[in-house]
Amino acid sequence: MDMFRFNNINLDRYTETYDLSFYLTYLSSWPDLYIVAESADRSLMGYLMGKVEGKKELWHGHVTALTVAPECRRLGLGRGLMDVLEVASEKTYDCYFVDLFVRPSNVVAIQMYENLGYTLYRQVIDYYMGDGVMPTEYANDMRKALARDVDKKSIVPVKHPVSVEDTFFA
């Protein structure tokens, strides 16, 4: 996979970018949760980087990054990429839920996630650090319960904001 093909999509201000080793770690650790959408001419239309983590009832799929090229938005690609991750989290990894972090200023993404059945689980203080373009913001930690979580315990909202340290799944 040519990692530099991602550059044109990563220019979106809401897309978090990482160093090359981070992308390669995901690709080598969770290749089935590293999903790309390509056009007929093989240009990159969007991608999703995911992983699985946690223990016991916290075992879950996680969306690390989801982005669609501006010219390919409103075509259902984000929904399709999310569906692949959700099915793998449920059928292959037997997870309890899928979660993701999203900037509260990214209203379009939040609406899409809500339409896919995600709900606000908690807010994470100062998760996104300002960079001169985007401000420092908390993160909305959104979750969707999967079939294994029969009682939907994984999506009972936390009533108060948490720190970044409280988000790690050992």
Side-chain angles (χ1 to χ4, degrees):
M1 176 180 294
D2 182 359
M3 299 303 295
F4 296 107
R5 291 177 56 217
F6 289 70
N7 287 347
N8 68 316
I9 295 176
N10 282 344
L11 296 177
D12 179 89
R13 67 186 187 127
Y14 288 113
T15 299
E16 296 298 313
T17 55
Y18 308 97
D19 62 45
L20 187 57
S21 66
F22 187 86
Y23 292 102
L24 293 173
T25 297
Y26 269 73
L27 183 59
S28 64
S29 299
W30 303 281
D32 55 333
L33 300 179
Y34 205 113
I35 309 147
V36 298
E38 293 180 317
S39 67
D41 69 358
R42 297 202 26 105
S43 61
L44 199 58
M45 299 167 66
Y47 71 89
L48 184 147
M49 286 174 38
K51 66 179 178 178
V52 290
E53 64 182 348
K55 293 180 182 174
K56 300 183 180 177
E57 293 81 21
L58 295 178
W59 179 244
H60 68 285
H62 176 73
V63 178
T64 300
L66 169 64
T67 193
V68 174
E71 65 274 12
C72 299
R73 293 183 182 155
R74 301 284 189 208
L75 299 175
L77 292 175
R79 177 183 300 270
L81 293 167
M82 289 294 293
D83 188 54
V84 173
L85 178 109
E86 290 172 10
V87 168
S89 295
E90 186 168 63
K91 305 291 185 196
T92 303
Y93 293 101
D94 198 25
C95 294
Y96 284 89
F97 61 94
V98 173
D99 81 337
L100 57 93
F101 295 151
V102 61
R103 287 179 179 268
S105 60
N106 194 347
V107 176
V108 173
I110 292 170
Q111 289 173 340
M112 181 192 77
Y113 295 132
E114 288 174 343
N115 289 338
L116 293 175
Y118 287 79
T119 58
L120 180 63
Y121 173 68
R122 62 186 172 183
Q123 294 178 328
V124 183
I125 301 166
D126 294 339
Y127 184 82
Y128 295 104
M129 302 315 301
D131 62 4
V133 176
M134 297 296 289
T136 297
E137 288 185 88
Y138 63 86
N140 284 341
D141 180 353
M142 300 183 77
R143 291 186 177 187
K144 179 178 183 177
L146 299 176
R148 187 172 183 191
D149 184 7
V150 176
D151 297 325
K152 310 288 187 229
K153 292 179 182 178
S154 65
I155 61 171
V156 175
V158 174
K159 298 193 185 306
H160 60 293
V162 300
S163 68
V164 172
E165 294 78 27
D166 296 327
T167 65
F168 296 107
F169 296 94

